[in-house]
Amino acid sequence: MSGPLDGLRVLDMSTLFAGPLAATLLGDFGAEVIKVEHPRRPDPARGHGPAKDGVGLWWKLLGRNKKTTTIDLSSPDGQELVLKLVETCDVVIENFRPGTLERWNLGYDRLSEVNPGLVLARVTGFGQFGPSARRAGFGTLAEAMSGFAAITGEPDGPPTLPPFGLADSISALTTAYAVMAALNGRASTGKGQVVDLAIIEPILTVLGPQPIWYDQLGYVQPRTGNRSMNTAPRNTYRTSDDKWVAVSTSAQSIAERVMRLVGREDLIEQPWFASGVQRAAHADVLDEAVGGWIAKHTRDEVMEEFERAEAAVAPIYDVRDVLEDPQYEALGTLQRVPDPELGSVLMQNVLFRLSETPGEIRWAGRPHGADTDEVLGGLGLSPSEIASLRERGVV
């Protein structure tokens, strides 16, 4: 069955991690994605994290559903190859520092000459203009500058960064959305356009109403650990078998059910209990009540009793628990993918299910330059011409 993006051709010239993941998301739903890497300097993602038999495992996920080719973009011959590819593509994704494509004579003015309908997605730390535009930009800097780190961690601890690519991942989702919006615009105008995505921006939106809170009230959200300023009880709690659960009471009815479950109906009668914000101001009392009850029960017992009470609870998993969870299994959230290098690999499935045109993982990330001959041959280059380019280091 064809995916909903079947027929869309994407040139992925980006690295580490927002741009490449955006291209992966498009490839998952049928787009033909051609990954361009330097002939002698592969995407650094191939070397990130653990490897097996010298094969980077993160790349198997990030590079899935992509054809891999190599081109030296800084060489005139390589630039001509890119222009030939752009003629056949709908989308280009890049994350070089602003001005780099222009220095290579591959700016949007040149690209759009050969393909007026092209959508160019430019994913950088700080965007294409402004005083910080040319600074080196990574997701970590966005997690710091957006305010995320400032509100993350215990009240008496330091600002805390996430142990994974949070800002990059949010930007990848946003980039994929932006590309689809631009393509939909092309359907009515016939013209492509440039997507300018600064990694510092999407995470700021995800953080919620902090700017309007400060604008209207002068309020600066503090670090509260696992607690919330908007509701309580809301925390993580240790069970009697030394495991952990998370409890949420965003709805008033859920908060009341939790207190009845733990035998503290008396707290429901307190005037302050009627509002989430006021409950949050009494989090010490509520955490003592809920945490004390949970500490006397195993995790399985806690889960059973909370579900019986129709209260909101979840076990705190590590990856081993995720692999055994029946809900993830029912959804097909993880999929084993055949792989010629490693036999098979387990990875997250496509992000969502479409009833008529579902996405699929067609293959895991391929070796560096594995599809160069196929891709360039598709442009009409002969085997001898490709061999000559390879001898000269262009591919």
Side-chain angles (χ1 to χ4, degrees):
M1 183 180 297
S2 297
L5 300 183
D6 186 46
L8 189 72
R9 203 171 204 216
V10 178
L11 193 62
D12 176 13
M13 302 196 302
S14 59
T15 61
L16 287 179
F17 281 96
L21 181 55
T24 302
L25 299 175
L26 298 173
D28 284 351
F29 286 90
E32 179 188 7
V33 180
I34 300 171
K35 171 72 175 181
V36 175
E37 298 173 79
H38 193 279
R40 293 165 296 282
R41 296 189 296 275
D43 188 328
R46 291 181 180 273
H48 267 58
K52 181 180 179 182
D53 300 331
V55 178
L57 299 178
W58 198 336
W59 172 253
K60 289 298 177 184
L61 173 67
L62 188 65
R64 73 187 189 192
N65 292 336
K66 298 180 182 181
K67 297 177 180 178
T68 58
T69 188
T70 59
I71 301 176
D72 183 352
L73 301 179
S74 66
S75 71
D77 286 340
Q79 293 156 16
E80 288 302 316
L81 290 176
V82 168
L83 290 173
K84 288 181 179 293
L85 280 170
V86 165
E87 288 184 37
T88 72
C89 289
D90 301 282
V91 179
V92 171
I93 301 176
E94 65 95 5
N95 69 337
F96 301 105
R97 290 197 198 188
T100 301
L101 283 188
E102 287 74 12
R103 190 171 70 249
W104 291 337
N105 198 26
L106 293 173
Y108 189 68
D109 55 347
R110 182 78 190 282
L111 300 181
S112 60
E113 281 181 7
V114 302
N115 185 347
L118 182 73
V119 171
L120 174 63
R122 314 194 75 169
V123 185
T124 57
F126 303 100
Q128 295 296 310
F129 56 90
S132 297
R134 297 186 65 83
R135 288 175 54 195
F138 295 98
T140 296
L141 308 188
E143 289 146 10
M145 290 178 62
S146 63
F148 172 85
I151 64 171
T152 304
E154 295 300 322
D156 57 350
T160 302
L161 296 167
F164 66 101
L166 176 63
D168 277 316
S169 299
I170 296 171
S171 293
L173 292 164
T174 309
T175 300
Y177 165 57
V179 165
M180 299 311 299
L183 289 171
N184 191 64
R186 185 182 71 174
S188 59
T189 67
K191 295 183 179 180
Q193 58 185 301
V194 177
V195 173
D196 177 8
L197 187 134
I199 295 174
I200 60 172
E201 291 184 301
I203 188 171
L204 183 61
T205 295
V206 170
L207 285 173
Q210 292 190 42
I212 195 170
W213 281 345
Y214 182 74
D215 175 62
Q216 296 296 305
L217 303 172
Y219 175 77
V220 178
Q221 185 174 342
R223 286 191 292 281
T224 58
N226 292 319
R227 289 178 172 177
S228 167
M229 298 296 293
N230 304 308
T231 188
R234 191 265 195 181
N235 213 326
T236 61
Y237 306 93
R238 190 193 298 266
T239 62
S240 65
D241 52 349
D242 203 28
K243 296 179 180 179
W244 292 84
V245 297
V247 172
S248 174
T249 58
S250 296
Q252 179 69 23
S253 60
I254 299 295
E256 293 175 6
R257 290 172 193 169
V258 169
M259 302 320 296
R260 292 191 184 98
L261 171 62
V262 303
R264 292 301 307 271
E265 295 94 336
D266 58 300
L267 294 177
I268 300 174
E269 304 304 320
Q270 297 295 321
W272 49 262
F273 196 88
S275 139
V277 172
Q278 292 184 63
R279 291 200 309 274
H282 295 79
D284 287 342
V285 173
L286 296 172
D287 275 347
E288 182 180 359
V290 176
W293 183 90
I294 288 176
K296 298 175 183 177
H297 298 79
T298 67
R299 187 173 75 178
D300 287 346
E301 291 170 344
V302 171
M303 294 298 299
E304 182 178 347
E305 291 299 321
F306 266 72
E307 290 178 17
R308 181 179 292 119
E310 298 185 355
V313 68
I316 292 179
Y317 282 168
D318 64 22
V319 67
R320 295 167 295 187
D321 301 306
V322 170
L323 299 186
E324 296 177 357
D325 183 83
Q327 183 61 30
Y328 281 129
E329 182 179 2
L331 293 173
T333 305
L334 298 167
Q335 181 173 334
R336 187 161 292 282
V337 181
D339 182 73
E341 292 185 286
L342 299 175
S344 71
V345 290
L346 188 69
M347 63 178 65
Q348 298 93 321
N349 206 341
V350 299
L351 275 179
F352 47 85
R353 288 158 291 281
L354 296 179
S355 62
E356 300 301 323
T357 54
E360 64 173 332
I361 304 172
R362 302 186 296 280
W363 61 80
R366 291 172 53 71
H368 180 232
D371 303 293
T372 298
D373 288 3
E374 176 191 337
V375 170
L376 298 186
L379 297 177
L381 276 70
S382 68
S384 61
E385 289 174 314
I386 297 172
S388 174
L389 290 169
R390 187 168 280 121
E391 288 175 4
R392 290 183 281 129
V394 177
V395 302

